[in-house]
Each structure stands twice: as C-alpha cells, then as structure tokens.
Amino acid sequence: MRHTDIREEDNASTVTQFLLLGFSGLPNLQGFLFGMFFIMYCIILIENSFIIVITRLDPALHKPMYFFLVNFSFLEICYVSVTLPRILYSIWTQDRNISFLACATQMCFFLTLAATESILLAVMSFDRYVAICNPLHYPMVMNPAKCTHLALVSWFGGMPFQLGQTCQIFSLHFCNSNQIDHFFCDIPPVLKLACGNTSVNELYVYIVAILLAAIPFMLILSSYSKIIATILRLPTAEGRAKAFSTCSSHLVVVVLFFGSASITYLMPKSTHSAVSDKLLSLFYTIVAPMFNPMIYSLRNKEVIAAMRRLLLRT
C-alpha cells in the first residue's frame, strides 16, 4: 500500500494524493465493520425510501409537513451516500488511497448536504410554528408555491458558501504527510495536514458555521419557544399532548444533528483528537440518519396510520 504520493515543487513538498486511514487501526475487525456498515447503509436506504413512497402514495399525507419530510428523507439518502460507499469500498478492498480531486469533491458534497440539512430543519420548525401558533393562516402561509421555494432555498442556499470553503481549504499546501486519520475527507483532519498558518481557514469555518448552523439553530429555538408557549396555553391536556407530539420528533432530530456537529466544527483544531472526531462523525453521518426515520415514523400517528392502510391494501 502506498502511504505517500508527494511531488517536489519549488523546494516544497505538496501532496497530490491522500490516504484515508479510516479504521485501519482495527485489522481484526475489518469483516465485522464491513458487515455493520453495510447493514446500516441498507437500513438507511430502506427506511427513508419507505417514508418517501408512503408519503407519495397516501393522500392523507399530502401536507406541507410531509412534503418537507420527503425532502428530508431524500436528503438523508444523499447525505450518507457521500461517505458510506467509500467506507465500504476501503474496507472491502483495503485500498485507502483517494485522489486530491476526489477528496475535495467528497468534502464539498458532504458540507453542502450538511448545510441543506441545517436549513431544512429550520424550515421544518417554521412549518410547525405556523401550524400550531397560527393554524387559521396555515393553508395560506404554507401554500405549495411557498413550500417549493423554501425547499429550493434549503437545497441550494448553502452551496456557494461550502463550495468557497472547499476551494479555500484545497488551495492550501499539504506537505510531509498525506495520511488523513479519518474515514472521509472532513475539514478538521484535512486542515491538520496543511502547511503553515491555517487561522484564516479556521476563521472561515467559524463564519460559515454561524451562517449555516448557528443562525438556523437560533431560528429553531425561537420557533420552539413560541410553540411551547402556545401549547402550554391550550385548555386541555389532550390538546397539549397532541400538539406536542407533532413537533417532539423534529426536536429530537434537531438535538441529535446540531449537538454532535457543533462539537466537531466549533472546537479549535488543536483540541481535536482522531478518536473523538471519528466517533462524533460516525454519530451525525451514519447513526443519526439511521434513527431519524424511526423517530419520525414511530412517534407520528399519521405516519403509522398510513403504514397500516398501505399494508391492508397489499
């Protein structure tokens, strides 16, 4: 296995190919890891595909809330497909080399889809805010045109920032080592390999994190503070329970995503360790997407009812 691919240019060593170390430090568990990740990938694909299909087939789920849920499920499929197939390939073939361009492409897609998830979660919280706090205006505010517009903003709003961030990172010189101690091309482990001062790049990471993570998260908190205040004013316990059940699953997903991702990207580079980076990244890139459909379906009575109607129909 080739561990370095470095060319001499102007008396500086510049990496032209990276090596994703991934889980190479666990040689006796390669078969187990491949089987585990393969099963998890299949579960994610099946769960999210099922939500997309059942939402499209059942007229009772043709509502703005489930329109955004379909977008979220498709996003989760794309999100995990940026990293998991590459992990499976590396474990199966033991070929951990990844070209400079492929690494940059993987990072760009991953960051763009992560930004999409952040914005989409904020949009979904706005949908719940309008539905619970302004139910009479809900059909007018969340009309099909507005829902489509919000979905497009979610998918493409973060793209220019993440494309710029990726170009900025991969315009750096990478010298002496090309070994990325991670299972995909993420910002913290790639920046560790850069030569010279990377403080400008780290500052850009914080700025983008504020724009595409902190601001959406604050909007979510604002929406839910008003939602909770409205729910507490409802006259009956049954009404409060019903209202809370429609948004509690979304709140759990928000905590899972923002909690683990913020620790990874807002911590200074010097405090990162390879083990903590991998564990946190596994959580928000694979584990959370696997549980998100379960959270949305098992805690949602309308989705459960739609599943029963579909099963009875077949």
Side-chain angles (χ1 to χ4, degrees), residues 20 67 80 128 145 155 174 191 195 208 217 222 234 260 262 267 274 280 282 313:
L20 287 169
F67 169 78
V80 298
R128 291 298 84 208
W155 280 98
F174 298 93
L191 274 182
C195 306
V208 172
F217 185 64
S222 176
L234 292 176
S260 55
S262 61
M267 285 172 57
L280 285 169
L282 276 176
R313 193 185 309 170

Side-chain angles (χ1 to χ4, degrees), residues 248-250 252-253 256 291-300:
S248 58
S249 57
H250 177 257
V252 171
V253 172
L256 290 176
F291 284 108
N292 287 346
M294 300 179 193
I295 294 169
Y296 273 113
S297 59
L298 294 178
R299 295 178 62 86
N300 190 303

